[in-house]
Amino acid sequence: MSMSLFVVLALSVEPSTKELNEYSKEHGYNIEYTHEANLAEMSGFLPAKLNSKDAGVEVYSFPASELPTPFKSIIPEIYNDGIVFQFRFGGNSVEAQTAFTTAIILNTKYGGVSLDDQSGHLMSVEQLEQLNSYFGGM
């Protein structure tokens, strides 16, 4: 079963794995992205280390205008011209944790919003952290 988590950022933001790693270190997230890249140019597997173990998640990006219609009506208007990062993961709890940790970092560092593709709801950082803990306990 494949699940997706969408993170929508304002257009002016271009996150790089270097910036994500610096932010992660500063704020105590146990993740390190092992491939240097601009996230918007990534398509496919993004390798990482999570709690010093090999990890990663599939990442794709596209303009917010290409979001499925039901999602467009949910995101705040300021993100309409933004960029969407889609994190895809299967039943692997490490992949899920990589996706949720990355979403938390993008939301807190860049002021993004997250959408769960299953429920079609916006998710707060607190909800992302709860799910991250859940997958961490699996």
XYZ file of all heavy atoms in Angstrom, residues 16-83:
536
model
N 16.924 23.167 0.032
C 17.988 22.251 -0.383
C 18.239 21.281 0.766
O 17.953 21.585 1.921
C 19.267 23.026 -0.698
O 19.817 23.555 0.496
N 18.784 20.127 0.431
C 19.074 19.155 1.484
C 20.112 19.722 2.460
O 20.086 19.408 3.644
C 19.572 17.814 0.892
O 20.646 18.063 0.002
C 18.454 17.087 0.162
N 21.003 20.585 1.962
C 21.996 21.227 2.846
C 21.283 22.059 3.923
O 21.597 21.955 5.106
C 22.926 22.106 1.997
C 24.064 22.724 2.755
C 24.995 23.478 1.798
C 26.202 24.014 2.521
N 26.076 25.404 2.914
N 20.293 22.868 3.516
C 19.519 23.673 4.476
C 18.735 22.780 5.434
O 18.652 23.065 6.627
C 18.522 24.580 3.743
C 19.159 25.732 3.005
C 18.133 26.529 2.200
O 16.946 26.169 2.187
O 18.537 27.519 1.571
N 18.149 21.709 4.890
C 17.375 20.793 5.738
C 18.279 20.136 6.782
O 17.885 19.983 7.938
C 16.682 19.719 4.897
C 15.656 20.193 3.869
C 15.022 19.007 3.155
C 14.581 21.056 4.497
N 19.483 19.759 6.379
C 20.426 19.137 7.318
C 20.834 20.100 8.424
O 20.915 19.720 9.590
C 21.673 18.612 6.589
C 21.406 17.315 5.854
O 20.491 16.569 6.191
N 22.211 17.041 4.847
N 21.105 21.362 8.063
C 21.479 22.374 9.062
C 20.340 22.568 10.054
O 20.550 22.614 11.270
C 21.824 23.709 8.381
C 23.158 23.663 7.651
C 23.371 24.855 6.720
O 22.557 25.819 6.729
O 24.363 24.815 5.959
N 19.116 22.690 9.540
C 17.938 22.898 10.392
C 17.720 21.683 11.296
O 17.416 21.812 12.474
C 16.710 23.151 9.515
C 15.490 23.602 10.290
C 15.303 24.946 10.598
C 14.531 22.686 10.708
C 14.191 25.371 11.293
C 13.407 23.099 11.405
C 13.239 24.448 11.695
O 12.138 24.861 12.401
N 17.889 20.504 10.736
C 17.714 19.260 11.480
C 18.673 19.196 12.666
O 18.281 18.846 13.774
C 17.947 18.069 10.544
O 17.920 16.866 11.263
N 19.941 19.551 12.407
C 20.954 19.539 13.477
C 20.587 20.540 14.570
O 20.615 20.217 15.750
C 22.321 19.897 12.907
C 23.240 18.704 12.797
C 24.657 19.134 12.440
C 25.287 18.030 11.604
N 25.792 18.482 10.316
N 20.251 21.763 14.159
C 19.915 22.836 15.110
C 18.749 22.457 16.006
O 18.693 22.855 17.154
C 19.504 24.112 14.350
C 20.621 24.948 13.832
C 20.084 26.063 12.914
O 18.976 26.595 13.174
O 20.768 26.366 11.920
N 17.768 21.741 15.446
C 16.523 21.475 16.177
C 16.387 20.044 16.675
O 15.327 19.653 17.149
C 15.324 21.866 15.303
C 15.271 23.343 15.062
N 16.000 23.947 14.057
C 14.611 24.332 15.695
C 15.788 25.254 14.095
N 14.951 25.520 15.070
N 17.443 19.253 16.548
C 17.450 17.920 17.134
C 16.618 16.866 16.422
O 16.179 15.897 17.043
N 16.397 17.047 15.119
C 15.730 15.985 14.357
C 16.824 14.993 13.954
O 17.871 15.405 13.458
C 15.046 16.544 13.099
C 13.898 17.461 13.426
C 14.021 18.831 13.268
C 12.701 16.947 13.924
C 12.971 19.681 13.584
C 11.644 17.796 14.241
C 11.791 19.154 14.069
O 10.751 19.982 14.384
N 16.588 13.716 14.181
C 17.624 12.719 13.916
C 17.601 12.248 12.472
O 17.485 11.068 12.202
C 17.456 11.526 14.863
C 17.777 11.921 16.289
O 18.694 12.703 16.521
N 17.020 11.410 17.225
N 17.686 13.233 11.554
C 17.687 12.874 10.132
C 18.793 13.633 9.425
O 19.099 14.780 9.774
C 16.312 13.166 9.475
C 16.210 12.468 8.117
C 16.049 14.658 9.397
C 14.797 12.394 7.571
N 19.426 12.940 8.484
C 20.432 13.590 7.655
C 20.212 13.117 6.220
O 20.137 11.927 5.954
C 21.842 13.204 8.112
C 22.908 13.879 7.280
C 24.311 13.332 7.535
O 24.505 12.552 8.474
O 25.207 13.699 6.749
N 20.094 14.077 5.312
C 19.901 13.764 3.899
C 21.288 13.558 3.300
O 22.134 14.433 3.402
C 19.119 14.880 3.202
C 17.793 15.091 3.894
C 17.661 16.038 4.907
C 16.702 14.280 3.601
C 16.463 16.188 5.593
C 15.506 14.417 4.285
C 15.391 15.376 5.286
O 14.212 15.505 5.979
N 21.510 12.398 2.697
C 22.860 12.015 2.287
C 23.165 12.372 0.828
O 24.250 12.115 0.345
C 23.079 10.501 2.508
O 22.030 9.777 1.841
C 23.033 10.164 3.995
N 22.205 12.969 0.140
C 22.389 13.359 -1.257
C 22.160 14.868 -1.331
O 21.109 15.336 -0.927
C 21.352 12.616 -2.124
C 21.376 13.001 -3.558
N 22.364 12.580 -4.420
C 20.533 13.771 -4.295
C 22.123 13.079 -5.618
N 21.029 13.809 -5.570
N 23.168 15.623 -1.791
C 22.991 17.075 -1.855
C 22.162 17.444 -3.075
O 22.501 17.073 -4.199
C 24.348 17.775 -1.871
C 24.226 19.209 -1.411
C 25.559 19.833 -1.027
O 26.230 19.309 -0.121
O 25.893 20.863 -1.651
N 21.048 18.120 -2.840
C 20.144 18.461 -3.940
C 19.220 19.592 -3.547
O 18.965 19.830 -2.369
C 19.302 17.244 -4.316
N 18.728 20.281 -4.585
C 17.617 21.208 -4.414
C 16.381 20.317 -4.465
O 16.200 19.566 -5.419
C 17.636 22.220 -5.560
C 16.432 23.136 -5.553
O 15.342 22.778 -5.109
N 16.627 24.332 -6.060
N 15.542 20.376 -3.456
C 14.393 19.464 -3.365
C 13.470 19.564 -4.578
O 12.911 18.575 -5.019
C 13.615 19.730 -2.079
C 13.223 18.499 -1.275
C 14.408 17.614 -0.964
C 12.497 18.884 -0.016
N 13.335 20.771 -5.129
C 12.431 20.968 -6.267
C 12.941 20.273 -7.533
O 12.186 20.057 -8.464
C 12.229 22.451 -6.522
N 14.227 19.932 -7.548
C 14.792 19.273 -8.721
C 14.856 17.758 -8.549
O 15.264 17.041 -9.446
C 16.194 19.836 -9.006
C 16.132 21.283 -9.474
C 17.486 21.986 -9.425
O 18.515 21.332 -9.176
O 17.485 23.214 -9.623
N 14.467 17.278 -7.371
C 14.496 15.836 -7.095
C 13.279 15.174 -7.713
O 12.202 15.737 -7.731
C 14.411 15.578 -5.587
C 15.649 15.851 -4.783
S 16.910 14.579 -4.867
C 16.048 13.043 -4.790
N 13.473 13.962 -8.179
C 12.349 13.162 -8.626
C 12.732 11.714 -8.397
O 13.625 11.202 -9.062
C 12.054 13.426 -10.100
O 10.912 12.683 -10.466
N 12.119 11.118 -7.413
C 12.450 9.744 -7.088
C 12.947 9.627 -5.665
O 12.561 10.393 -4.797
N 13.831 8.668 -5.444
C 14.253 8.336 -4.084
C 15.216 9.365 -3.508
O 16.233 9.688 -4.127
C 14.885 6.940 -4.073
C 15.089 6.389 -2.693
C 14.010 5.937 -1.954
C 16.356 6.327 -2.137
C 14.181 5.419 -0.674
C 16.551 5.813 -0.862
C 15.461 5.360 -0.129
N 14.896 9.870 -2.331
C 15.763 10.793 -1.600
C 16.386 10.005 -0.444
O 15.691 9.659 0.512
C 14.945 11.976 -1.050
C 15.678 12.956 -0.134
C 16.784 13.687 -0.893
C 14.703 13.964 0.457
N 17.684 9.684 -0.541
C 18.316 8.903 0.519
C 18.582 9.744 1.762
O 18.853 10.946 1.671
C 19.626 8.426 -0.118
C 19.921 9.404 -1.197
C 18.612 10.002 -1.633
N 18.498 9.097 2.915
C 18.720 9.778 4.186
C 19.208 8.774 5.220
O 19.177 7.565 5.000
C 17.428 10.433 4.656
N 19.656 9.308 6.335
C 19.947 8.495 7.515
C 18.981 8.966 8.583
O 18.880 10.156 8.850
C 21.385 8.727 7.997
C 22.433 8.224 7.022
C 23.102 6.993 7.569
C 24.199 6.519 6.637
N 24.123 5.094 6.406
N 18.267 8.035 9.191
C 17.319 8.359 10.256
C 17.781 7.611 11.489
O 17.898 6.376 11.454
C 15.913 7.915 9.852
C 14.773 8.301 10.791
C 14.556 9.809 10.794
C 13.492 7.602 10.387
N 18.094 8.347 12.569
C 18.682 7.731 13.762
C 19.877 6.858 13.379
O 20.019 5.729 13.845
C 17.627 6.911 14.524
C 16.463 7.774 14.955
O 16.652 8.888 15.445
N 15.250 7.297 14.749
N 20.707 7.373 12.468
C 21.929 6.718 11.979
C 21.689 5.451 11.159
O 22.626 4.735 10.833
C 22.882 6.396 13.146
O 23.147 7.568 13.873
N 20.449 5.144 10.828
C 20.144 3.978 9.985
C 19.798 4.455 8.583
O 19.245 5.532 8.397
C 18.942 3.206 10.554
C 19.201 2.530 11.880
C 17.992 1.680 12.283
C 18.052 1.350 13.758
N 16.933 1.891 14.510
N 20.092 3.609 7.567
C 19.734 3.946 6.192
C 18.229 4.123 6.073
O 17.451 3.319 6.602
C 20.192 2.852 5.224
C 21.708 2.904 4.997
O 22.305 3.975 5.222
O 22.280 1.876 4.607
N 17.835 5.198 5.406
C 16.416 5.520 5.250
C 16.255 6.277 3.942
O 17.196 6.412 3.173
C 15.928 6.367 6.429
N 15.066 6.765 3.732
C 14.802 7.568 2.553
C 13.326 7.539 2.235
O 12.542 6.852 2.888
N 12.954 8.333 1.236
C 11.560 8.428 0.833
C 11.524 8.904 -0.617
O 12.448 9.570 -1.073
C 10.789 9.399 1.779
C 11.301 10.830 1.635
C 9.292 9.315 1.577
N 10.480 8.511 -1.340
C 10.316 9.016 -2.710
C 9.785 10.440 -2.636
O 8.842 10.718 -1.892
C 9.293 8.166 -3.466
C 9.842 6.892 -4.033
C 8.773 6.164 -4.832
O 8.160 6.773 -5.743
O 8.552 4.979 -4.528
N 10.366 11.334 -3.427
C 9.908 12.725 -3.430
C 9.717 13.205 -4.867
O 10.516 12.897 -5.744
C 10.878 13.649 -2.642
C 12.253 13.689 -3.252
C 10.330 15.067 -2.540
N 8.614 13.903 -5.072
C 8.283 14.498 -6.366
C 7.795 15.908 -6.100
O 7.232 16.184 -5.044
C 7.182 13.690 -7.072
C 7.559 12.242 -7.233
C 7.156 11.295 -6.304
C 8.362 11.834 -8.301
C 7.539 9.959 -6.431
C 8.750 10.500 -8.425
C 8.338 9.568 -7.493
O 8.730 8.262 -7.610
N 7.991 16.813 -7.062
C 7.479 18.170 -6.876
C 6.753 18.623 -8.124
O 7.035 18.167 -9.224
C 8.610 19.138 -6.534
O 9.521 19.221 -7.595
N 5.784 19.500 -7.906
C 4.999 20.044 -9.010
C 4.319 21.329 -8.529
O 4.213 21.555 -7.321
C 3.972 19.017 -9.526
C 3.074 18.433 -8.466
C 1.860 19.034 -8.147
C 3.439 17.270 -7.797
C 1.028 18.490 -7.182
C 2.616 16.720 -6.822
C 1.402 17.334 -6.514
N 3.851 22.171 -9.469
C 3.183 23.419 -9.070
C 1.875 23.141 -8.320
O 1.185 22.162 -8.626
C 2.889 24.122 -10.393
C 3.681 23.410 -11.433
C 3.965 22.039 -10.927
N 1.555 23.992 -7.369
C 0.321 23.832 -6.584
C -0.913 23.839 -7.488
O -1.934 23.232 -7.158
C 0.219 24.925 -5.520
N -0.808 24.496 -8.646
C -1.941 24.534 -9.570
C -2.304 23.135 -10.079
O -3.411 22.913 -10.553
C -1.627 25.451 -10.747
O -0.480 24.980 -11.437
N -1.376 22.178 -9.961
C -1.629 20.814 -10.421
C -2.142 19.881 -9.322
O -2.319 18.682 -9.551
C -0.357 20.223 -11.042
C 0.035 20.897 -12.340
C 1.351 20.379 -12.916
O 1.800 19.284 -12.526
O 1.928 21.092 -13.757
N -2.368 20.430 -8.133
C -2.946 19.615 -7.051
C -4.326 19.126 -7.469
O -5.042 19.834 -8.178
C -3.113 20.453 -5.774
C -2.030 20.419 -4.721
C -2.330 21.461 -3.657
C -1.851 19.049 -4.092
N -4.730 17.934 -7.021
C -6.108 17.500 -7.289
C -7.103 18.546 -6.784
O -6.888 19.150 -5.724
C -6.231 16.197 -6.497
C -4.822 15.706 -6.344
C -3.965 16.944 -6.278
N -8.163 18.767 -7.533
C -9.139 19.813 -7.222
C -9.621 19.822 -5.771
O -9.657 20.895 -5.156
C -10.342 19.732 -8.196
O -9.816 19.790 -9.515
C -11.300 20.891 -7.988
N -9.979 18.668 -5.174
C -10.449 18.738 -3.775
C -9.399 19.332 -2.834
O -9.739 20.000 -1.866
C -10.730 17.281 -3.402
C -10.654 16.487 -4.652
C -9.985 17.311 -5.700
N -8.115 19.109 -3.129
C -7.051 19.635 -2.268
C -6.871 21.132 -2.452
O -6.524 21.845 -1.519
C -5.721 18.926 -2.535
C -5.707 17.470 -2.149
C -4.790 16.607 -2.704
C -6.611 16.959 -1.229
C -4.758 15.263 -2.354
C -6.596 15.614 -0.871
C -5.662 14.765 -1.436
N -7.082 21.616 -3.683
C -6.899 23.040 -3.961
C -7.789 23.905 -3.082
O -7.404 24.981 -2.657
C -7.213 23.346 -5.426
C -6.082 23.040 -6.360
C -6.439 23.563 -7.737
C -5.642 22.827 -8.782
N -6.159 22.985 -10.106
N -9.006 23.419 -2.826
C -9.953 24.211 -2.036
C -9.585 24.217 -0.549
O -10.085 25.041 0.201
C -11.369 23.666 -2.216
O -11.419 22.316 -1.781
N -8.694 23.317 -0.122
C -8.338 23.208 1.297
C -7.161 24.107 1.656
O -7.105 24.644 2.748
C -7.951 21.738 1.633
C -9.125 20.810 1.369
C -7.523 21.605 3.081
C -8.747 19.346 1.420
N -6.206 24.229 0.713
C -4.989 24.977 1.071
C -5.268 26.482 1.109
O -6.046 26.996 0.323
C -3.802 24.662 0.125
C -4.102 25.058 -1.321
C -3.367 23.210 0.236
C -2.876 25.081 -2.223
N -4.627 27.188 2.053
C -4.791 28.640 2.116
C -4.371 29.294 0.800
O -3.458 28.818 0.128
C -3.844 29.047 3.251
C -3.689 27.811 4.081
C -3.781 26.665 3.128
N -5.048 30.369 0.461
C -4.867 31.041 -0.829
C -3.427 31.445 -1.119
O -2.992 31.406 -2.268
C -5.760 32.282 -0.878
C -6.317 32.546 -2.255
C -7.383 33.635 -2.221
O -8.499 33.368 -1.744
O -7.061 34.749 -2.669
N -2.667 31.806 -0.090
C -1.290 32.258 -0.311
C -0.412 31.176 -0.942
O 0.654 31.468 -1.459
C -0.612 32.778 0.980
C -0.598 31.707 2.069
C -1.246 34.059 1.468
C 0.380 32.002 3.202
N -0.863 29.914 -0.901
C -0.068 28.825 -1.469
C -0.490 28.464 -2.898
O 0.101 27.577 -3.503
C -0.178 27.567 -0.597
C 0.372 27.778 0.794
C -0.472 27.994 1.871
C 1.744 27.759 1.027
C 0.033 28.193 3.142
C 2.263 27.965 2.295
C 1.398 28.184 3.348
O 1.905 28.385 4.599
N -1.520 29.143 -3.431
C -2.041 28.788 -4.755
C -0.993 28.798 -5.858
O -1.079 28.033 -6.803
C -3.202 29.717 -5.153
C -4.458 29.376 -4.377
O -4.515 28.374 -3.670
N -5.460 30.222 -4.501
N -0.005 29.677 -5.759
C 1.049 29.747 -6.770
C 2.323 29.069 -6.285
O 3.402 29.281 -6.841
C 1.360 31.211 -7.123
C 0.170 31.888 -7.777
O -0.526 31.216 -8.558
O -0.067 33.072 -7.489
N 2.193 28.275 -5.246
C 3.360 27.653 -4.625
C 3.799 26.364 -5.287
O 3.406 26.045 -6.412
N 4.629 25.643 -4.553
C 5.169 24.373 -5.032
C 4.759 23.265 -4.062
O 4.691 23.490 -2.852
C 6.702 24.457 -5.197
C 7.243 23.170 -5.815
C 7.401 24.793 -3.887
C 8.654 23.288 -6.351
